[in-house]
Amino acid sequence: MIPKIPLGNTGISISRIGLGTVKFGRNQKIHYPTAFALPSDKEITELLHCANELGINLLDTAPAYGTSEERLGKLLNGQRQHWVLCTKAGEEFTNGESSFDFSAKSIQKSIERSLTRLRTDYLDIVLVHSNGDDKKIIEDQAVFLTLANMKSAGLIRSFGMSTKTIEGGLLAAEQSDVVMVTYNPTHTIEQSVIAYAHQKNKGILIKKALASGHLKKIADDDAVQTAMQFIFQEPGISAIILGTLNKTHLKHNAFCAEQALGIKICKSI
């Protein structure tokens, strides 16, 4: 079973790996090595069941992930209490194009819509879905003030940013509860953000741990294990977000995470 850990100082307990759900609702203009068809409801339900059996309780979604939020809301089917839901705000993906709006009105509207789509009265984690102008978004748009107000209102339990710059990551670690950064053996530049967030006891989520599926960039052999070992040796990592539609891959990811975390494996995958 994948162990759980406190998400920084949020009071939320999350599994050390989370299931990314971009592939549940979007297959256009994404940087994976091979094309794929969107899964059926049955396939998603089976994958969620598999994740639950592995001890995974963290689901990562976003409005920019096409129909991912709506499909999760429908298919969780009364099981909301078993999951930690992480979504985002600020980016939309419509008619094959991304657009961004970080105004208070837009962020609030996005969160209210996510609550409806996910069929819940609260969101565990909301991250600003950055367009790369992290510092400007934080300082000029005051997004964290907007999110803090929604947290005070009980609509969200924690907030932060999925950042794209070191400067933005450091600001997010200073001013919010959670940072999501890119980190893997081929991309280590954001390690300083991880170290600072750890020092501040903030939640740290890792995206693109497997280089968006380009495994040969990481290692010729057992790239998943190589990436897990590399990432989990860094102090302060709360969880790695991994997206897949394949139950066998999900089980292998869990196995590699357990190995990297030094957990005795009780049974074969």
Side-chain angles (χ1 to χ4, degrees):
M1 291 283 286
I2 296 296
K4 295 179 176 62
I5 191 174
L7 179 64
N9 56 15
T10 65
I12 301 170
S13 178
I14 63 168
S15 51
R16 300 302 303 272
I17 61 174
L19 179 60
T21 67
V22 61
K23 291 183 176 181
F24 287 12
R26 175 177 166 183
N27 57 6
Q28 296 175 287
K29 295 193 176 180
I30 46 182
H31 304 294
Y32 294 112
T34 56
F36 60 92
L38 295 181
S40 67
D41 285 356
K42 181 176 182 289
E43 288 169 328
I44 293 177
T45 299
E46 290 176 351
L47 192 67
L48 290 171
H49 179 72
C50 179
N52 182 257
E53 286 194 324
L54 291 167
I56 296 168
N57 73 342
L58 176 61
L59 297 175
D60 179 68
T61 185
Y65 295 171
T67 57
S68 173
E69 287 185 321
E70 295 100 320
R71 300 190 79 184
L72 281 174
K74 172 187 174 184
L75 298 173
L76 290 181
N77 191 28
Q79 302 298 310
R80 166 69 177 94
Q81 70 274 18
H82 299 309
W83 301 96
V84 173
L85 297 181
C86 173
T87 192
K88 304 177 188 72
E91 180 182 359
E92 304 287 335
F93 185 78
T94 308
N95 298 323
E97 297 294 335
S98 283
S99 60
F100 297 88
D101 187 343
F102 303 103
S103 66
K105 181 179 179 181
S106 179
I107 295 292
Q108 182 173 339
K109 180 180 177 182
S110 178
I111 290 172
E112 291 171 348
R113 186 186 57 196
S114 291
L115 289 166
T116 299
R117 287 176 170 176
L118 289 162
R119 304 187 188 185
T120 182
D121 55 4
Y122 70 94
L123 299 166
D124 298 289
I125 309 163
V126 174
L127 304 176
V128 178
H129 215 166
S130 177
N131 62 358
D133 292 330
D134 299 343
K135 184 173 186 289
K136 181 179 179 181
I137 295 166
I138 294 169
E139 295 185 341
D140 295 354
Q141 300 283 349
V143 285
F144 291 152
L145 176 60
T146 302
L147 292 171
N149 289 337
M150 302 200 79
K151 181 179 177 181
S152 296
L155 297 176
I156 65 178
R157 296 178 67 194
S158 65
F159 64 87
M161 179 180 260
S162 176
T163 59
K164 295 188 177 181
T165 65
I166 295 172
E167 187 174 33
L170 295 173
L171 284 171
E174 181 70 38
Q175 299 181 30
S176 71
D177 305 312
V178 183
V179 293
M180 178 182 277
V181 300
T182 298
Y183 191 62
N184 62 56
T186 70
H187 183 101
T188 61
I189 192 171
E190 294 174 65
Q191 188 276 338
S192 59
V193 176
I194 296 170
Y196 185 68
H198 178 44
Q199 177 188 333
K200 293 288 185 178
N201 192 27
K202 301 300 176 74
I204 304 166
L205 303 178
I206 302 301
K207 58 185 174 179
K208 301 181 181 177
L210 303 181
S212 298
H214 297 274
L215 298 180
K216 290 295 184 182
K217 292 183 178 180
I218 295 174
D220 289 330
D221 262 346
D222 212 350
V224 176
Q225 189 67 67
T226 298
M228 294 284 191
Q229 293 285 161
F230 177 81
I231 294 167
F232 278 129
Q233 74 181 359
E234 187 66 38
I237 302 296
S238 305
I240 298 172
I241 305 299
L242 298 165
T244 184
L245 297 177
N246 185 304
K247 287 183 290 184
T248 300
H249 290 170
L250 183 61
K251 291 175 183 178
H252 182 64
N253 292 344
F255 178 87
C256 291
E258 289 173 331
Q259 291 278 68
L261 291 165
I263 297 167
K264 184 177 180 181
I265 308 301
C266 298
K267 61 182 181 179
S268 171
I269 63 169

